[in-house]
Amino acid sequence: MDLGAYGHPLVKTPNLDKIAKEGMRFNNAFATSSVCSTTRSAFFTGMHPTSIGAHHHRSHLTDNYQLPEQVKMLSEYTREAGYFNLLMGPKQKTDFNFATRVEPFDAMDGEIQYSGGAYTHGPVKESILNKPAWQKYLKQGQGKPFFAQINYSETHRTFINDVEDPIDASLVKPPSYYPDHDIVKRDWALYLETVQHVDKKIGVLFNELEQAGALENTIVFIFGDHGRAMLRDKQWLYDGGIQVPLIAWGKGIEANTVNNDLVSLIDLAPTSLSLIGEPVPAYMEGKVILGKDKIIREYIYAQRDRCDETDDRIRAVRDHQFKYIKNFKPEQPYTQFNAYKKLNYPVLTLMQKMHDAGELSPMQDQFFAKTRPIEELYDIKNDPEETTNLAANPKYHSNLLRMRAELERWQLETKDLGMIDEDPKVIAYWDEFFEKHYTTQMALRGLSTDISNEDYLIWWDNYLTSLEVAKN
């Protein structure tokens, strides 16, 4: 949500802002998960990850687990409808949490330097030959209309400084659940500069599609596959981890419109099929969010299970005002060790140090508690940062009961497979994998795995300084 089009005062995203003004901006779009592979498995099937056995992050990489028989990927449906399927970007993200029965894409290319969380579909025209990769696709596609997923991975971390449009870290105002500290602001400024890089790449993409004459009959969805890659956001079910920007642009999309409906990313698959005139399979859990078959949601749902080597089970349901979160493993802390976050999030080490020194506010310190509440309830309208848990507040008891019942109903209806424990051998595999990965990566930095938070923070300060020097 950190785009100029959504009102962020510091980030410079002129291309995305223009696209949003010419199309439809969704203010309440949410991922089904707070991590990439599970969300990707979901929006490409129109199904919740927990319904198709894809709920653990990067699961089934060493087996041949397949989707339930009736479930197919969106690209299979577009191929059947006569479309040529493309996957492009520096990182061709295909780590779905299942084995595909058929090759989901007709062509893949990592040479294209524009890429992003975007669906596009339109006619492949000969004028697209201004790019060698497009020439290859045109020859392969034989003039068919195209469906493309284009992946941008920059904002997943590692962040990239923007030497052309630097952001003054002193002006950054992170959410209140982070301390007002120099390290936080510098890391956040770097994140916003990375968003600016993505904006520039999307500008290149649109320019090339326009030169190719492919925009006049094309629909584009631009979205994030989870929330911010920040400490209390990514991998968590607070809005910072699951709320995403979503912009629809193109043929049939009303310009300069704002959509406040609740939308889930699993809605993109059925909506895409509906927009190209194809029937939406009855089994899909996603809803059509545009056009004559539009369905308005009352709730969105989200899950978090194992992320890397960190085992967990959390579920959430949200309406326009309240968010209910159920922690199925409340005996675990929020900050159980995760190699990815310890290697990439300087704010984790900062807040661990501040926690040990008693320097965090009581609200910030909640994230470092040894256990978690079983239930969390937040009034999103009055507490958008979800800092005050109302689950035990008698004033909100009826809201608690309603949201709890809705989550239970959804889990029962969708046969939540995440309630079944994962194979211990799989858990052990990822524990060993990330233990080795963490040791290797720290050694490459010249650091010990038992480095103190104080010394690690010095390393982070020097790292951030090196990027700031490059900007000046």
Side-chain angles (χ1 to χ4, degrees):
M1 304 293 286
D2 298 306
L3 306 175
Y6 284 92
H8 198 288
L10 297 181
V11 71
K12 305 174 189 69
T13 51
N15 296 297
L16 286 165
D17 298 349
K18 179 176 182 290
I19 295 167
K21 189 171 183 180
E22 294 175 351
M24 181 179 292
R25 186 188 81 225
F26 291 82
N27 283 342
N28 291 297
F30 296 86
T32 54
S33 309
S34 51
V35 71
C36 58
S37 74
T38 49
T39 296
R40 188 176 307 106
S41 300
F43 68 64
F44 237 110
T45 59
M47 302 289 287
H48 287 286
T50 50
S51 298
I52 57 174
H55 45 284
H56 295 297
H57 181 37
R58 294 196 173 120
S59 55
H60 305 303
L61 294 186
T62 59
D63 60 25
N64 198 38
Y65 174 81
Q66 294 186 349
L67 291 169
E69 187 174 351
Q70 80 277 17
V71 178
K72 296 195 293 188
M73 297 177 67
L74 175 59
S75 56
E76 293 181 68
Y77 288 111
T78 55
R79 178 183 289 137
E80 291 170 1
Y83 281 71
F84 187 63
N85 294 315
L86 308 175
L87 176 64
M88 298 187 293
K91 286 190 177 181
Q92 302 141 29
K93 289 263 188 171
T94 58
D95 54 341
F96 306 110
N97 295 321
F98 48 80
T100 56
R101 297 188 186 92
V102 298
E103 178 56 53
F105 300 99
D106 300 307
M108 300 198 306
D109 197 296
E111 297 173 357
I112 304 292
Q113 290 307 303
Y114 53 76
S115 46
Y119 286 158
T120 72
H121 50 80
V124 178
K125 294 188 176 180
E126 191 166 348
S127 55
I128 245 170
L129 292 174
N130 63 329
K131 280 286 179 181
W134 282 111
Q135 183 176 13
K136 177 174 63 178
Y137 299 147
L138 177 62
K139 186 175 181 180
Q140 288 179 268
Q142 298 178 339
K144 293 179 180 179
F146 70 88
F147 167 81
Q149 182 187 339
I150 311 172
N151 296 312
Y152 296 100
S153 59
E154 285 82 357
T155 54
H156 276 60
R157 291 189 184 251
T158 303
F159 295 153
I160 310 165
N161 59 342
D162 188 346
V163 296
E164 296 177 352
D165 292 302
I167 290 176
D168 184 348
S170 68
L171 301 178
V172 172
K173 295 182 179 180
S176 62
Y177 45 82
Y178 296 118
D180 184 17
H181 190 282
D182 175 64
I183 292 289
V184 177
K185 292 184 174 184
R186 291 159 69 193
D187 182 56
W188 205 277
L190 195 59
Y191 154 65
L192 295 176
E193 291 183 18
T194 306
V195 172
Q196 294 178 171
H197 275 282
V198 175
D199 179 79
K200 292 170 184 175
K201 290 189 174 184
I202 290 178
V204 172
L205 168 62
F206 267 69
N207 285 337
E208 293 183 350
L209 288 172
E210 183 176 21
Q211 292 170 14
L215 283 181
E216 61 193 34
N217 193 33
T218 296
I219 299 169
V220 182
F221 291 106
I222 300 172
F223 57 94
D225 60 5
H226 53 67
R228 304 183 193 100
M230 293 293 180
L231 178 59
R232 187 182 175 265
D233 300 323
K234 184 177 179 180
Q235 297 189 0
W236 298 102
L237 300 187
Y238 305 110
D239 277 7
I242 61 172
Q243 190 168 17
V244 297
L246 172 61
I247 299 169
W249 180 98
K251 185 177 181 180
I253 307 298
E254 187 178 354
N256 199 24
T257 56
V258 175
N259 187 312
N260 290 312
D261 297 338
L262 286 172
V263 170
S264 172
L265 290 187
I266 61 171
D267 299 336
L268 295 181
T271 300
S272 293
L273 291 175
S274 177
L275 290 175
I276 64 174
E278 291 296 308
V280 176
Y283 71 79
M284 278 192 177
E285 296 168 337
K287 312 296 182 183
V288 175
I289 59 174
L290 292 170
K292 61 181 178 61
D293 297 322
K294 173 180 174 179
I295 297 175
I296 296 178
R297 286 181 169 276
E298 186 176 359
Y299 301 99
I300 62 94
Y301 312 89
Q303 55 80 214
R304 181 258 162 94
D305 289 87
R306 179 182 51 73
C307 289
D308 305 322
E309 81 280 32
T310 307
D311 191 35
D312 216 326
R313 182 181 296 151
I314 313 174
R315 300 291 180 268
V317 58
R318 186 196 194 280
D319 62 15
H320 278 289
Q321 181 163 2
F322 291 98
K323 162 85 70 62
Y324 172 79
I325 297 174
K326 177 74 173 288
N327 291 297
F328 287 87
K329 298 190 176 186
E331 72 281 1
Q332 295 178 342
Y334 293 100
T335 52
Q336 50 180 323
F337 185 80
N338 181 271
Y340 158 74
K341 287 205 169 183
K342 192 63 175 177
L343 286 168
N344 292 284
Y345 289 55
V347 175
L348 172 58
T349 296
L350 169 69
M351 292 186 73
Q352 286 173 328
K353 176 179 178 293
M354 294 180 71
H355 165 73
D356 292 341
E359 297 172 347
L360 295 174
S361 72
M363 180 269 291
Q364 293 163 355
D365 209 47
Q366 291 173 9
F367 195 65
F368 293 86
K370 294 181 179 180
T371 60
R372 286 177 270 169
I374 296 175
E375 296 180 300
E376 301 176 55
L377 180 71
Y378 299 99
D379 182 344
I380 302 295
K381 285 188 177 179
N382 296 300
D383 178 23
E385 294 182 352
E386 298 161 282
T387 59
T388 302
N389 183 8
L390 303 172
N393 189 326
K395 180 181 176 181
Y396 295 91
H397 187 62
S398 62
N399 300 107
L400 176 70
L401 294 179
R402 175 175 64 87
M403 300 298 279
R404 179 197 291 161
E406 178 56 28
L407 182 68
E408 291 174 350
R409 183 205 65 77
W410 171 74
Q411 286 188 281
L412 182 63
E413 180 181 286
T414 59
K415 299 179 176 60
D416 187 344
L417 296 175
M419 301 307 292
I420 303 171
D421 289 342
E422 191 173 22
D423 185 339
K425 293 180 181 178
V426 176
I427 296 174
Y429 168 85
W430 286 113
D431 286 347
E432 182 180 357
F433 177 93
F434 279 101
E435 181 180 3
K436 290 180 179 177
H437 175 70
Y438 182 66
T439 301
T440 300
Q441 293 302 311
M442 291 295 278
L444 290 173
R445 296 175 176 182
L447 303 176
S448 168
T449 56
D450 61 358
I451 187 173
S452 67
N453 288 327
E454 290 78 9
D455 288 340
Y456 197 13
L457 205 57
I458 292 172
W459 184 91
W460 276 117
D461 180 59
N462 290 334
Y463 171 77
L464 293 172
T465 299
S466 69
L467 294 176
E468 291 159 354
V469 168
K471 289 191 290 186
N472 296 321

